Amino acid sequence: ADRDLKSCVHSATGNPALADLMFAGVRTGGGPYFFTPYRWGYGWPYGRMYKPLSSDEDVKATSLRDEYLATNPNLICPAKYR
């Protein structure tokens, strides 16, 4: 996912330095161990770590993603970078 984000940022902006910075940022500060609003798994209870999603969680996450992207279509990364 981190590499996909980097590719998408580079594709959307044409700025490889920004893509590298975004990649470094999510790798450095996006882990599940931090009490930050941008950590991995944000939206799930703290302490969830990297466990796979349950069926119910997957349905919820998919629904929320689809709803968000439907109202923000310009944020959808080109398919080859997803």
Side-chain angles (χ1 to χ4, degrees):
D2 296 350
R3 285 185 298 273
D4 289 347
L5 172 67
K6 180 179 174 179
S7 294
C8 186
V9 170
H10 185 234
S11 173
T13 67
N15 187 332
L18 178 60
D20 288 340
L21 182 63
M22 294 288 289
F23 180 79
V26 297
R27 284 297 180 111
T28 303
Y33 312 102
F34 302 107
F35 284 102
T36 56
Y38 53 80
R39 73 179 189 280
W40 184 93
Y42 177 72
W44 304 112
Y46 182 79
R48 186 176 191 295
M49 308 315 258
Y50 291 113
K51 295 183 283 186
L53 296 178
S54 70
S55 295
D56 289 340
E57 290 170 331
D58 188 51
V59 168
K60 181 179 179 182
T62 299
S63 174
L64 289 170
R65 181 201 63 215
D66 292 348
E67 179 183 328
Y68 182 78
L69 292 176
T71 58
N72 298 279
N74 59 326
L75 298 180
I76 296 173
C77 195
K80 70 180 188 174
Y81 297 109
R82 283 188 263 153

